[in-house]
Amino acid sequence: AGDRSPAQLSRWLTPGLRLEVASRAALGRRSLPRIRSVHVVRPSVRALELTAVLDYGVRHRAATLRLECRRGGWVCTRLAIL
């Protein structure tokens, strides 16, 4: 379901994001957040930009990501959890 290893996500991430996700995963498991809202903007035919509000219980965080259509599939090129 919603919990995947970095290796399972690698085909949807750029090489730089693969390293970042793997290093965050190595820090240890944390509780999974509930996604409170998602907003999507399509700045071009081959790109999507998403923002989401993540609920960790006591704390809420924002997440942003950019997906680009590459080699016939969607690839995450930017990811930030604020």
Side-chain angles (χ1 to χ4, degrees), residues 39-60:
H39 300 277
V40 181
V41 175
R42 192 168 200 164
S44 74
V45 178
R46 300 179 60 81
L48 296 170
E49 294 178 345
L50 296 87
T51 59
V53 175
L54 308 176
D55 181 349
Y56 285 89
V58 178
R59 186 173 182 177
H60 290 74

Side-chain angles (χ1 to χ4, degrees), residues 62-76:
T64 63
L65 62 110
R66 180 178 171 92
L67 300 172
E68 295 179 3
C69 188
R70 296 186 180 179
R71 300 178 302 275
W74 292 97
V75 176
C76 183

Side-chain angles (χ1 to χ4, degrees), residues 3-82:
D3 194 12
R4 306 217 181 252
S5 72
Q8 287 180 305
L9 301 174
S10 66
R11 71 183 235 189
W12 296 290
L13 301 172
T14 61
L17 278 178
R18 279 186 214 126
L19 293 173
E20 184 179 336
V21 168
S23 67
R24 285 185 185 200
L27 294 175
R29 296 176 76 69
R30 297 183 184 144
S31 62
L32 295 175
R34 291 188 62 192
I35 299 172
R36 289 293 179 187
S37 65
V38 176
H39 300 277
V40 181
V41 175
R42 192 168 200 164
S44 74
V45 178
R46 300 179 60 81
L48 296 170
E49 294 178 345
L50 296 87
T51 59
V53 175
L54 308 176
D55 181 349
Y56 285 89
V58 178
R59 186 173 182 177
H60 290 74
R61 300 183 83 175
T64 63
L65 62 110
R66 180 178 171 92
L67 300 172
E68 295 179 3
C69 188
R70 296 186 180 179
R71 300 178 302 275
W74 292 97
V75 176
C76 183
T77 58
R78 301 273 191 265
L79 173 65
I81 298 178
L82 312 169

